[in-house]
Amino acid sequence: MVSEKVLNDQSNKSTIILNSNSALMVGIIGLLLPIGIQDFVVHRFFWGSMHIMSLLLCPVGFLLWAFDGYCAGGKFCTRPPGILSIIGSCILGWTLVLLILNLFECVRLISSHTIVFSKKSFTMTMVISTIVTMVAFFVYRLFIYYS
């Protein structure tokens, strides 16, 4: 795969340009298998590992989120969902945000053949989106319990 890396030190951005065939192939594979394949192609192993870890932890997060507050026998206990539900909400929020960001990145890769990675803005977007999604999952879980 032919790639060219362009660094812009003033804006803390790095742009990786792939040729059209490579960009199309990586973008389509990234849409079909949302494991962060584009991150591994451009040697961003930390972000690719985060994609894979979040997908592996997603079933655990769902079980923690869904079954916290249940007693043996499948009925709700008298206590509302607690820390396990919060941890499950964190994992589910993290996974959902990474999947959506993966979708946007793959579509951008297919259309423009470039991956623009601004470290500060991407990290801030991911953290804020994860917190909002986590709170939404937990509030929904509380809504289910109290209704």
Side-chain angles (χ1 to χ4, degrees):
M1 296 204 188
V2 178
S3 68
E4 177 183 333
K5 189 171 187 175
V6 179
L7 293 174
N8 186 350
D9 293 331
Q10 294 173 349
S11 63
N12 197 17
K13 290 184 180 182
S14 64
T15 303
I16 293 133
I17 303 169
L18 298 174
N19 66 20
S20 61
N21 291 335
S22 298
L24 187 63
M25 182 177 69
V26 170
I28 290 174
I29 291 173
L31 288 175
L32 296 176
L33 297 171
I35 58 170
I37 192 78
Q38 72 280 1
D39 293 321
F40 291 111
V41 168
V42 296
H43 304 289
R44 294 188 322 200
F45 297 111
F46 174 75
W47 290 103
S49 319
M50 281 186 58
H51 280 278
I52 291 174
M53 249 182 11
S54 72
L55 291 173
L56 291 174
L57 289 175
C58 186
V60 173
F62 178 75
L63 290 174
L64 291 174
W65 177 80
F67 295 112
D68 185 32
Y70 280 95
C71 292
K75 293 193 244 178
F76 271 118
C77 294
T78 56
R79 63 182 180 86
I83 190 71
L84 293 177
S85 185
I86 292 173
I87 292 170
S89 297
C90 289
I91 294 171
L92 290 175
W94 178 44
T95 303
L96 185 64
V97 167
L98 281 175
L99 285 173
I100 291 171
L101 291 175
N102 182 59
L103 172 74
F104 288 140
E105 197 169 73
C106 287
V107 168
R108 183 186 303 159
L109 180 61
I110 290 172
S111 65
S112 67
H113 310 296
T114 60
I115 295 177
V116 178
F117 183 65
S118 175
K119 294 176 180 126
K120 289 181 182 176
S121 66
F122 187 77
T123 304
M124 286 175 37
T125 302
M126 189 183 135
V127 167
I128 291 169
S129 301
T130 302
I131 290 170
V132 168
T133 309
M134 178 195 76
V135 169
F137 273 116
F138 188 68
V139 167
Y140 179 71
R141 184 69 173 91
L142 285 175
F143 177 75
I144 289 174
Y145 174 75
Y146 285 116
S147 63

